[in-house]
Amino acid sequence: MTAADGAARTARFIDVHYHCGPDAYVRRHTATAAAARYAEHGGWVVLKNHLGSTAAQAWEARQQGLPVSGSIVLNDLAGGFDPRAVEQAVVQHGEDSGLRLIVHLPTVTGRTHRSRLTRTPSHPLLADGQRPLTVTDDSGTLRPDVRDLLRAARDLPVVVSTGHADGHEVRLLIEEAVRLDLPRLMLNQPANPMTGLTCKDLADLVGAEQVFTEQTALTHLLGYQPWSDLVDVLALLPRVVYSSDLGQPSQPDITPWLTQSAEWFERAGLTPRRVQEVTRDTPLAMLSL
């Protein structure tokens, strides 16, 4: 076991979804600054950005003793569904963390949704956004290159995330993941408006042992998800991973998020054991090799 691997396993909590700069939009912290704040609280963080990979940033930060691992978002700008992009990120991520790289399917899908976030593009080339990419074709069927990517992911140390797939696509991805015996599939913030899955919907979808459900704080903070559904997801579903999805200058910083989360857990009536499950044990089980 490496030092980094040991740090992840002894962390008080694991946030699998935090945005650092550089990203498609201006962010509050750099990779090292964000990781240093998680270290102050005894946590571990998985960095994410919509431009592509944070694997090398995470590796660099870990060499400084910081508790961080990475991800890649397979938007068109990052190469889309080309398995070589994933393989490169896996190599850049290194082996010292002892954790899986999270591979997010596209988050820029062109769906008609106007975010409630106040966001500033990080570069003039992004003023008009990125070219959209979806996991299904015009007939609503999973693209062959998506199937190929999932097949390739079986043999890599990764967690595949559904990205901003819609509800129909999430169902197709679960079916394909189960068919291929993909080791890990994370349903990425399924309560967000682009996916639109409630706890009741999810209860019928997450039976397979390799399927994990991410519950982000931001989905509720932005008013996309009612309190009752947030509580139901946190309290009732199996294999729930609680994350922040923060990093935006307009949203809470890491310390206020942790304080607010503790208040939410108490208000929701979660037991200390359940809090540990959704904030530490289940994220660690999902990321572990």
Side-chain angles (χ1 to χ4, degrees):
M1 180 184 296
T2 67
D5 187 14
R9 295 178 185 281
T10 58
R12 291 180 51 245
F13 67 96
I14 299 175
D15 182 1
V16 302
H17 189 159
Y18 187 85
H19 290 277
C20 67
D23 198 350
Y25 302 100
V26 173
R27 300 305 187 190
R28 183 186 291 273
H29 297 302
T30 65
T32 53
R37 283 163 173 77
Y38 279 87
E40 292 171 2
H41 293 282
W44 185 278
V45 62
V46 182
L47 301 176
K48 179 180 180 181
N49 79 58
H50 297 289
L51 297 176
S53 174
T54 64
Q57 288 173 287
W59 181 89
E60 181 72 25
R62 281 200 310 277
Q63 308 319 300
Q64 302 174 43
L66 294 171
V68 55
S69 52
S71 67
I72 183 172
V73 181
L74 299 180
N75 286 326
D76 180 78
L77 187 64
F81 305 120
D82 190 338
R84 291 176 298 178
V86 177
E87 291 171 1
Q88 181 190 59
V90 167
V91 172
Q92 290 179 324
H93 198 229
E95 296 183 296
D96 62 295
S97 74
L99 301 179
R100 295 172 181 268
L101 178 87
I102 298 183
V103 177
H104 295 277
L105 295 171
T107 58
V108 178
T109 63
R111 307 201 193 284
T112 54
H113 164 66
R114 185 175 180 82
S115 175
R116 293 176 181 172
L117 285 167
T118 300
R119 303 188 292 191
T120 302
S122 63
H123 193 281
L125 287 176
L126 299 173
D128 296 325
Q130 299 184 50
R131 186 165 64 180
L133 184 64
T134 60
V135 298
T136 54
D137 57 25
D138 292 340
S139 69
T141 302
L142 281 183
R143 298 180 185 276
D145 48 0
V146 173
R147 295 180 186 275
D148 290 342
L149 178 76
L150 296 179
R151 191 174 294 108
R154 290 183 305 186
D155 301 319
L156 293 171
V158 301
V159 175
V160 176
S161 155
T162 54
H164 289 175
D166 66 20
H168 168 69
E169 291 169 335
V170 166
R171 290 175 171 86
L172 293 179
L173 289 167
I174 292 173
E175 290 174 3
E176 188 68 1
V178 171
R179 187 183 76 82
L180 293 173
D181 197 23
L182 185 72
R184 305 282 194 280
L185 180 72
M186 184 180 80
L187 309 188
N188 179 214
Q189 48 177 315
N192 82 83
M194 288 171 284
T195 304
L197 296 175
T198 66
C199 182
K200 184 178 180 181
D201 298 325
L202 293 167
D204 296 327
L205 297 175
V206 297
E209 289 294 323
Q210 68 260 54
V211 178
F212 294 76
T213 299
E214 180 195 21
Q215 173 61 62
T216 74
L218 186 65
T219 314
H220 181 63
L221 287 170
L222 293 178
Y224 296 147
Q225 180 185 30
W227 171 253
S228 58
D229 192 69
L230 170 72
V231 172
D232 286 347
V233 170
L234 289 175
L236 302 176
L237 291 182
R239 297 176 300 283
V240 172
V241 175
Y242 178 71
S243 69
S244 70
D245 191 11
L246 295 177
Q248 309 84 1
S250 63
Q251 295 301 311
D253 204 347
I254 296 159
T255 300
W257 165 64
L258 289 170
T259 300
Q260 186 167 46
S261 295
E263 293 171 352
W264 285 357
F265 298 153
E266 183 176 4
R267 178 184 168 196
L270 300 185
T271 65
R273 180 73 185 109
R274 181 62 175 178
V275 171
Q276 181 175 313
E277 284 180 12
V278 301
T279 62
R280 179 191 176 277
D281 295 352
T282 304
L284 181 59
M286 183 181 76
L287 292 172
S288 294
L289 297 172

